[in-house]
Amino acid sequence: ITWSTDEAATSQVRYSLTAGGVATDTIATTTYDESHAVVVSGLSAGTRYYFKVVSVDLSGNSTVSSEESAVTALDPSMD
């Protein structure tokens, strides 16, 4: 998952199997960047996930995106 911020900030993704559901957090980065990329591993193939991205700047101000969703690719070994 990729996103940009207008100032240097950390990167974290919160994801869930249900819209508005209890989220699992990825580990937040300890580096501060304006371009962010987080790989979320261990997801099930062909499954819709709901996610928000979280960034915290050097002053400790945090921002959380609106919720989006995406479906993971199907496992080609299942054909």
Side-chain angles (χ1 to χ4, degrees), residues 29-55:
T29 62
T30 56
T31 56
Y32 293 83
D33 295 297
E34 292 179 14
S35 295
H36 308 274
V38 174
V39 175
V40 182
S41 59
L43 303 179
S44 299
T47 304
R48 179 171 298 279
Y49 287 90
Y50 297 85
F51 63 92
K52 297 178 182 181
V53 298
V54 181
S55 292

Side-chain angles (χ1 to χ4, degrees), residues 8-78:
T10 60
S11 307
Q12 185 176 35
V13 173
R14 296 179 177 161
Y15 62 97
S16 174
L17 287 169
T18 57
V22 176
T24 299
D25 290 350
T26 61
I27 295 173
T29 62
T30 56
T31 56
Y32 293 83
D33 295 297
E34 292 179 14
S35 295
H36 308 274
V38 174
V39 175
V40 182
S41 59
L43 303 179
S44 299
T47 304
R48 179 171 298 279
Y49 287 90
Y50 297 85
F51 63 92
K52 297 178 182 181
V53 298
V54 181
S55 292
V56 180
D57 69 15
L58 289 163
S59 298
N61 301 310
S62 64
T63 187
V64 180
S65 72
S66 59
E67 186 173 77
E68 301 291 337
S69 69
V71 177
T72 55
L74 293 175
D75 184 347
S77 68
M78 301 299 284

